[in-house]
């Protein structure tokens, strides 16, 4: 992206600025990184409920005869397992098994709905388009839809004020078209925080009206506005991968611990490499690392052992929930077992880190 | 943005208030805003010598890590021990409860080399 590209505002940008948000450029969008403070926003989602503007995320529709077979051929998870109303986490891999993007695949009544990372919208669209057979329609809805997420143990209380839809019988990773806040829209029980929560895909024209309704319903429950800063620490505590940090086209699903979203019995772009790697075992793995003391591991810091530098931290933070430093990073397989120890080099000093079982935060209302 | 007129400033966003021969040092309101939530502060020992514009500590915030530079030379006579339990007091009250160290000043002439409030304001609004 060229540096003089104008930032894209979301349908909610003026609300963020009015709320005193600190705005930053993110994937070409003008986004709120924090309002009151990352730590308090993080804890508000863990303990109560928070509202996120995620309108920068990309949405594609895939329809037509052969849509299912097409998605089977370009994504790693088993799309045939989806019945209408169900959602799966998946990824797309290139011919070398590198991750093109991670995404959500929604099966609707008459089409599929894909949610992709903002930074990859153009790349993903071109990738899908180049693999798409005739007869399958691929449409980019990214600029037509706003996306709001309500996340936290009390998310359902807020959502119940906005819709008559039966939320009690709505399982995690399912979606519905329903009237929410007076608007007909697609919403799902999904999120990137580990907590219970909902995500709403809102036609641009309805965004301002819905924002007011969500704030009105949420205020009764003490809802807080949450920026991208807390979104990052919330997902990291759950070991949810961030594209561009923890996964990219130089990493495979097997290395990243994402074999659970790979159907090894089917063929897809990259499957020969991915299957072979699964069989032989990867030479490195993405692991959860916990440290002690008052240090702050950050993206790009070296991981070392007695052999020298053996890997890099891909994400790190001082966990607001656990009150200790946590990190994700790739290490050689022999150092990837739970309990293995490595050093993270923070400003020329080695700090002992222990490989721990994911997720870091184990009390989340959903996982 | 709060830039008190009675303080002196460095280009690195520290402030200093001199009373007698003791200088109280912290970071500015602008700096705390840029750093975001402060997670911890690495402090020098009492008795340590600091040099003007020399590094005396590190501040770790959620978004970034930053070195701390002393506006004046001298000996550290006090450190804000409250920062251990509540480093975010720097975010809430950067010029008051969020002070970081106190230094016994060796050369009062050094103050002339620091920025006044107007000079500092030009830097952060440039």
């Amino acid at each position: 992206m060229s540096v003089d590209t104008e930032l894209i505002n979301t349908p909610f940008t003026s609300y963020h600025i009015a709320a005193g948000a600190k705005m930053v450029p993110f994937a070409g969008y003008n986004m709120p990184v924090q309002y009151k403070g990352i730590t308090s926003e993080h804890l508000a989602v863990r303990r109560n409920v928070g509202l996120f503007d995620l309108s920068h995320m990309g949405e594609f529709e895939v329809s037509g005869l052969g849509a299912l077979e097409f998605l089977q051929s370009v994504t790693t998870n088993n799309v045939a397992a989806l019945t209408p109303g169900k959602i799966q986490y998946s990824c797309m891999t290139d011919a070398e098994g590198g991750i093109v993007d991670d995404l959500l695949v929604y099966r609707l009544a008459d089409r599929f709905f894909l949610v992709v990372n903002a930074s990859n919208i153009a790349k993903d669209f071109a990738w899908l388009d180049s693999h798409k057979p005739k007869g399958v329609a691929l449409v980019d809805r990214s600029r037509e839809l706003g996306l709001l997420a309500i996340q936290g143990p009390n998310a359902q209380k807020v959502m119940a004020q906005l819709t008559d839809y039966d939320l009690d019988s709505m399982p995690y990773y399912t979606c519905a078209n329903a009237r929410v806040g007076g608007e007909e829209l697609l919403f799902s029980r999904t999120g990137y925080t580990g907590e219970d929560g909902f995500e709403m895909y809102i036609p641009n024209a309805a965004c301002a009206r819905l924002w007011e309704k969500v704030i009105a319903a949420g205020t009764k429950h003490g809802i807080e506005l949450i920026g991208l800063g807390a979104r990052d620490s919330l997902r990291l505590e759950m070991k949810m991968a961030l594209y561009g940090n923890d996964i990219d086209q130089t990493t495979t699903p097997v290395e990243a611990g994402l074999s659970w979203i790979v159907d090894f019995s089917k063929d897809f772009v990259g499957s020969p490499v991915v299957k072979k790697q699964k069989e032989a075992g990867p030479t490195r793995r993405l692991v959860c690392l916990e440290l002690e003391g008052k240090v702050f591991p950050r993206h790009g810091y070296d991981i070392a052992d007695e052999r020298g530098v053996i890997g890099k931290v891909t994400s790190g933070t001082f966990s607001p929930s656990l009150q200790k430093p946590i990190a994700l990073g790739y290490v050689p397989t022999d150092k990837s077992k739970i309990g293995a120890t490595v050093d993270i080099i923070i400003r020329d000093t080695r700090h002992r880190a222990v490989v721990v079982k994911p997720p870091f935060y184990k009390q989340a209302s959903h996982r | 943005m709060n830039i008190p007129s009675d303080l002196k400033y460095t280009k690195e966003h520290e402030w200093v208030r001199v009373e007698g021969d003791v200088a109280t040092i912290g970071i500015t309101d602008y700096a705390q805003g840029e750093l975001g939530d402060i997670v911890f502060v690495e402090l020098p020992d009492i008795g340590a010598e600091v040099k003007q514009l020399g590094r005396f500590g590190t501040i770790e915030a959620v978004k970034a890590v930053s070195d701390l530079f002393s506006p004046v030379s001298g000996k550290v006579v006090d450190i804000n021990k409250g920062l251990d339990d509540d480093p975010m007091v720097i975010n809430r009250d950067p010029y008051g409860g969020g002070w970081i160290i106190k230094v016994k000043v060796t050369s009062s002439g050094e103050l002339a080399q620091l920025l006044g409030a107007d000079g500092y304001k030009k830097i952060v609004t440039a």
Side-chain angles (χ1 to χ4, degrees), chain A residues 87-344:
Chain A
I87 303 163
Q88 70 186 185
Y89 180 49
S90 190
C91 65
M92 300 188 282
T93 47
D94 62 23
E96 285 77 47
I99 300 172
V100 176
D101 202 3
D102 62 334
L103 74 164
L104 291 181
V105 179
Y106 288 58
R107 182 160 197 174
L108 310 182
D110 59 346
R111 68 194 66 194
F112 292 91
F113 185 78
L114 313 182
V115 182
V116 304
N117 284 297
S119 52
N120 289 337
I121 292 172
K123 179 181 83 167
D124 290 353
F125 191 87
W127 177 261
L128 287 165
D129 197 50
S130 71
H131 289 83
K132 180 178 76 68
K134 280 190 182 124
V136 170
L138 169 68
V139 184
D140 182 0
R141 299 286 185 205
S142 304
R143 299 293 289 274
E144 300 165 32
L145 295 169
L147 170 51
L148 291 179
I150 297 174
Q151 300 279 303
N154 290 325
Q156 186 172 329
K157 290 180 186 163
V158 176
M159 202 66 191
Q161 303 224 324
L162 293 165
T163 183
D164 293 332
Y165 189 83
D166 181 8
L167 301 173
D168 281 332
S169 53
M170 183 178 193
Y172 204 48
Y173 267 63
T174 63
C175 63
N177 274 292
R179 187 166 279 269
V180 179
E183 313 292 338
E184 283 296 329
L185 52 83
L186 173 69
F187 78 104
S188 56
R189 192 163 209 152
T190 46
Y192 193 48
T193 63
E195 302 299 332
D196 190 17
F198 301 88
E199 297 183 299
M200 297 173 279
Y201 300 89
I202 312 148
N204 283 345
C207 281
R209 291 194 299 271
L210 196 74
W211 176 272
E212 306 281 356
K213 294 268 177 62
V214 172
I215 294 293
T219 300
K220 295 172 194 158
H221 299 283
I223 202 167
E224 296 275 350
L225 299 178
I226 314 297
L228 293 181
R231 177 169 160 83
D232 188 48
S233 53
L234 286 159
R235 67 93 195 166
L236 180 49
E237 285 184 345
M238 301 310 298
K239 202 211 173 193
M240 291 173 172
L242 173 62
Y243 196 89
N245 275 35
D246 310 308
I247 53 175
D248 59 28
Q249 244 161 306
T250 70
T251 61
T252 71
V254 177
E255 292 170 336
L258 295 175
S259 291
W260 63 278
I261 58 167
V262 178
D263 179 350
F264 292 97
S265 71
K266 74 167 194 179
D267 293 324
F268 53 89
V269 178
S271 65
V273 178
V274 173
K275 287 176 189 177
K276 208 168 150 191
Q277 189 180 46
K278 179 70 179 173
E279 219 159 275
T283 56
R284 59 174 186 166
R285 288 178 191 274
L286 185 67
V287 294
C288 291
L289 297 165
E290 259 183 32
L291 296 83
E292 293 297 328
K294 298 196 164 184
V295 292
F296 202 123
R298 295 179 193 273
H299 175 79
Y301 285 6
D302 284 331
I303 302 173
D305 66 3
E306 62 285 352
R307 295 169 287 194
V309 173
I310 55 169
K312 280 199 188 301
V313 171
T314 55
S315 292
T317 195
F318 190 81
S319 162
S321 302
L322 306 174
Q323 284 295 305
K324 60 167 76 167
I326 60 172
L328 298 181
Y330 285 93
V331 297
T333 303
D334 68 325
K335 285 286 184 172
S336 68
K337 295 228 162 41
I338 306 301
T341 57
V342 294
D343 291 331
I344 294 179

Side-chain angles (χ1 to χ4, degrees), chain A residues 22 33-34 36-40 229 293-296 298 301 317-318 325 346-347, chain B residues 33-34 36-37 39-40 42 55 58 60-65 67 83-85 88:
Chain A
K22 192 177 188 68
V33 66
Q34 67 166 59
K36 289 180 184 167
I38 292 172
T39 310
S40 68
K294 298 196 164 184
V295 292
F296 202 123
R298 295 179 193 273
Y301 285 6
T317 195
F318 190 81
I346 301 176
R347 292 193 300 285
Chain B
E34 288 299 300
D37 290 355
V39 184
F40 31 79
E42 183 202 319
R55 184 183 165 279
T58 310
E60 287 272 9
V62 171
K63 279 185 284 179
V65 57
D67 284 330
L83 297 179
D84 243 11
D85 288 333
M88 277 174 64

